[in-house]
Amino acid sequence: MAVSYVQLQDHATLIMGEEFDPRIDLNSIINEAGEYLFSTHNWAWRSRPPASLNAVADQSWIALPMDFGLGEILGLVTSEMTTSVNLVTADTVQHHRKNSAQSPHSYWAGVVFPAQESLQEPLGNPRLEIYPTPTSDTDDFMKLSYRAGWVRLGPQQATNANVPHSFDNMLVQFVRAFARYYASGDRSDIEAIEQSRQLGRLKRADTLIEPHLGRIRGGILSGDSRIDPLWNFTTVAPS
């Protein structure tokens, strides 16, 4: 099991002391450290298998997975072979709502964060604005491949970090470094971790999880319809 919120609290308190300034929020320290770790590299373990997105009749948006957070869309397709999805900005979606005729063969979609109903409430989870608006409840309406974001920890939120067990120590280091930064304004510990051999080794190991040479372009077999364009150089051509 990954490191817990309570354990990370203990590490932050150890750095700051039991009687730290009450204006300092431990939740902010822990979650900023987690988001920072996620941003240091496009970690392979952040990639999720395709998730089913369900449509609700007459609702102009679709809920994203709870761990999407500040993640990244890698692919989005509809369940219908004849329909495509265009990923665009939210204002482009709004433009098409006002100015475009509905097409049965194309959707426009963009990620937005819902407006806050109260300044005392946290920002809500991101969602996918979509046009045309679905006209019926549809399970498995779209399939989303994505790179997950950090899931916020807290007393009323998740209790365990969404990182592999092998990254517990690195997350703890960032939490302790951010605690020192909050207490003293000194960022040197954060910068030292960024330049550390340990983080460098984790990045190199991460890139070896699924090595891929990519698409072959312009080769002698590029015009052969029998060749899968996603094959790499280790693939044997058909005889």
Side-chain angles (χ1 to χ4, degrees), residues 18-236:
E18 292 291 341
E19 298 181 359
F20 60 86
D21 189 330
R23 293 172 296 180
I24 297 178
D25 183 11
L26 289 181
N27 284 13
S28 296
I29 291 174
I30 292 169
N31 286 303
E32 284 188 36
E35 290 170 356
Y36 201 84
L37 170 59
F38 271 53
S39 72
T40 57
H41 184 69
N42 287 331
W43 303 105
W45 44 264
R46 290 179 54 198
S47 296
R48 299 291 185 265
S52 295
L53 303 183
N54 302 327
V56 177
D58 301 321
Q59 179 174 280
S60 62
W61 55 271
I62 296 175
L64 292 170
M66 58 82 58
D67 65 347
F68 184 83
L70 297 176
E72 177 186 354
I73 291 179
L74 303 178
L76 184 65
V77 296
T78 67
S79 57
E80 301 176 0
M81 294 289 291
T82 58
T83 306
S84 63
V85 185
N86 303 291
L87 281 171
V88 294
T89 59
D91 62 309
T92 301
V93 175
Q94 184 64 16
H95 170 80
H96 283 284
R97 283 176 179 160
K98 290 185 176 182
N99 302 291
S100 301
Q102 293 192 19
S103 167
H105 303 298
S106 182
Y107 284 95
W108 303 85
V111 177
V112 299
F113 284 80
Q116 290 177 265
E117 297 181 2
S118 167
L119 294 179
Q120 283 69 47
E121 296 294 325
L123 187 64
N125 293 327
R127 64 194 192 191
L128 198 66
E129 289 287 322
I130 186 170
Y131 174 81
T133 300
T135 56
S136 62
D137 293 348
T138 308
D139 292 338
D140 200 23
F141 180 63
M142 292 183 178
K143 286 288 190 182
L144 172 72
S145 299
Y146 67 105
R147 188 174 285 122
W150 168 258
V151 175
R152 294 186 65 82
L153 303 181
Q156 306 300 322
Q157 297 171 302
T159 57
N160 291 91
N162 61 328
V163 300
H165 181 69
S166 57
F167 277 73
D168 284 353
N169 178 262
M170 182 55 61
L171 177 57
V172 166
Q173 288 187 52
F174 271 116
V175 167
R176 292 167 69 97
F178 269 82
R180 193 179 305 280
Y181 171 58
Y182 265 70
S184 65
D186 182 5
R187 287 184 54 89
S188 61
D189 284 4
I190 299 174
E191 294 168 356
I193 297 173
E194 288 181 321
Q195 300 168 12
S196 68
R197 292 182 178 180
Q198 181 182 1
L199 183 60
R201 285 195 298 269
L202 288 172
K203 289 180 179 180
R204 287 191 294 274
D206 185 77
T207 60
L208 296 176
I209 290 178
E210 191 177 4
H212 181 41
L213 296 176
R215 184 189 294 262
I216 298 176
R217 300 181 186 275
I220 59 172
L221 297 178
S222 59
D224 192 329
S225 61
R226 299 172 300 165
I227 302 297
D228 185 337
L230 295 179
W231 282 359
N232 61 31
F233 293 100
T234 61
T235 305
V236 178

